[in-house]
Amino acid sequence: MGPFLTPIQTNILRCHLECNQRIACRLFEFDQDPGECRLWSDDLTTGMISLDIPSKPRSKVGMIQMTSNIYLSLHNQPCDKHAKSHLGFECRDIECNSIYQCLNQAIARFGNAASGGGVKGLSGPWGLHVTSDNTLYVTDYNTDRVQTYSSLSRSGITIAALNRAIKDVFEDNLEYVYTAAIGAGDVFVSPINITLPISRLYPCNLSSIYSPYVIAVDKNGNIYISDFACHVVSKWVSNATTGGVVTGKLNTVGSSNSLLNGSKFIFLDEIHSTLYVVDYNNNNRVQKFFLGVNTTVQPSVFNRRCSIDCALG
């Protein structure tokens, strides 16, 4: 991969400043003969960066050293206490106070809206899951794979390449990763490398999954799957060969509180024993289910409490 920017400069110190003022820059090379300052972006946190150094003897290479100490004096500090920073911070209103926070940024991509494979590329990112330690999982729909990214790197690692249309990914508290492949009608579990279920059947039945869209897993290992074309959310107990219907009715479309029409996204709230379901086709609603009793979620009023508190001082 080549440099992302090549400005013209007069010496290596000015080339260093060009790199230092750009958040993405990690490595710079100054070629004195044409006066080119070549800037590279990378997020390697371990190992060694190597370059094919040009044969020109007046070419020099340097890198930006990133340490946590340079951020400590600014992060979460009042904006009016510091001069403008180039360390990737911006001022934000947090609980009615203006403090420095990290800039919004793309953490998994090539850049410049480009798409593709490789460790940094994505082509059709669809589902995602973030763990408690800020590990990011992304399903890449057009490349039929699941990528994982640590919180310190934009370089991804492929943990599943399934050659099928992948919709969603979820990691449970035992660090098992569940991948929903709607094109194959199954859920793949790694690193134990098993597939649930064994067969795909239509009309839908409780011994198979036809079109898995989104997955949720509770602390006991029970798997909740929104089966889009079957119009249900099913629950699969650990080691079970058949599932059970949590909500909806197999092969039945409806608009009553007990039926669904194309169940898509789900969210499991274990604290309140609640399951939220996006009821997509024609119903245009979100369903909320408590232990077998369901109600339609109505639009909520925006919470202006912080804005009111700020206005009142």
Side-chain angles (χ1 to χ4, degrees), residues 137 170-178 188-192 217:
Y137 292 91
F170 189 95
E171 183 191 80
D172 68 12
N173 57 356
L174 298 178
E175 298 185 353
Y176 290 145
V177 179
Y178 302 77
F188 182 75
V189 187
S190 59
I192 55 178
V217 183

Side-chain angles (χ1 to χ4, degrees), residues 62-93:
M63 65 182 300
I64 301 296
Q65 183 178 5
M66 307 297 289
T67 64
S68 59
N69 292 335
I70 63 177
Y71 295 92
L72 293 178
S73 63
L74 280 178
H75 190 253
N76 284 335
Q77 297 300 310
C79 296
D80 58 357
K81 302 297 183 182
H82 299 274
K84 184 177 179 180
S85 171
H86 294 290
L87 296 177
F89 290 119
E90 67 177 357
C91 283
R92 292 181 177 175
D93 286 328

Side-chain angles (χ1 to χ4, degrees), residues 107-110 116-131 135-141 143-150 153-162 166 168-171 177 179 190:
I107 56 176
R109 66 166 187 173
F110 270 134
V119 297
K120 290 188 177 179
L122 292 171
S123 180
W126 192 276
L128 62 83
H129 179 74
V130 182
T131 66
T135 298
L136 171 67
Y137 292 91
V138 181
T139 61
D140 203 19
Y141 190 85
T143 59
D144 299 322
R145 61 180 181 161
V146 178
Q147 295 289 96
T148 180
Y149 301 82
S150 76
S153 178
R154 283 201 293 258
S155 296
I157 298 173
T158 301
I159 62 169
L162 302 179
I166 301 172
D168 193 37
V169 62
F170 189 95
E171 183 191 80
V177 179
T179 303
S190 59

Side-chain angles (χ1 to χ4, degrees), residues 272-276 288-295:
H272 302 98
S273 298
T274 303
L275 181 71
Y276 296 84
K288 181 178 182 181
F289 298 91
F290 303 93
L291 301 175
V293 180
N294 58 299
T295 57

